[in-house]
Amino acid sequence: MADKGFLKKYHEKRDFDISSEPFGDEAKKKDEDKQIFVIQKHDASNLHFDFRLLVDGVLKSWAVPKGPSTDPDVKRLAVRTEDHPVRYADFEGVIPEGQYGGGTVMVWDAGTYENDRKDDDGNLIPMGQQLEDGHSTFILNGKKLKGGYTLIRTQKGDNEKWLLKKVEDDKADARRNPVSTENKSVLTGRTMEQIKKESRKND
Ligand code: MN
């Protein structure tokens, strides 16, 4: 069972009367086996990519300033951020200026993932345990990103830092650079500019 107040940090940072982000007061109880991930391109004070994995009913989250790479020789800094409610996976729009994370949010990639780290006996290590260990390996099945990735924790504490890296496999491709060449939402096909413009229209 999820702790009471498991989304406390998420709720404390936001004013839900002003932002259209989902409140998300319940951990996901249905489809718990379905392991989803989402990567949201977020044009806040600094442009970054928010990488989120559904683990134990919440979206475990990291801000990746340069976004994920498909090149196994490239490590990308991933700064741990607060857990988000599962409903956040479908959030695309504009967080009002002056609010926490104010700026445009796009669902840049989404799909399912499979746990891919085993213990010495060949049993899969639960994702929650992997994250606690600071060493996680999984296979993404998104529209833009596919194949194995690892997250390795390099710094613990309040400012937890990790490195996100592509695993060397048949989906690795050093020539692709989807972060700069694939610029449309996998949810709506829109660009950042279109999301911003259409949000203004709806005000
Ligand atoms: Mn963000």
Side-chain angles (χ1 to χ4, degrees), residues 42 48 50 52:
H42 186 187
H48 60 273
D50 287 302
R52 312 189 198 280

Side-chain angles (χ1 to χ4, degrees), residues 7 37 63-64 75 82 84 90 128-130 160 163 201:
L7 290 171
F37 84 96
V64 185
K75 296 185 182 85
E82 76 277 14
H84 281 49
D90 295 324
Q129 184 63 50
Q130 293 192 26
E160 218 174 82
L163 291 171
K201 224 169 23 195

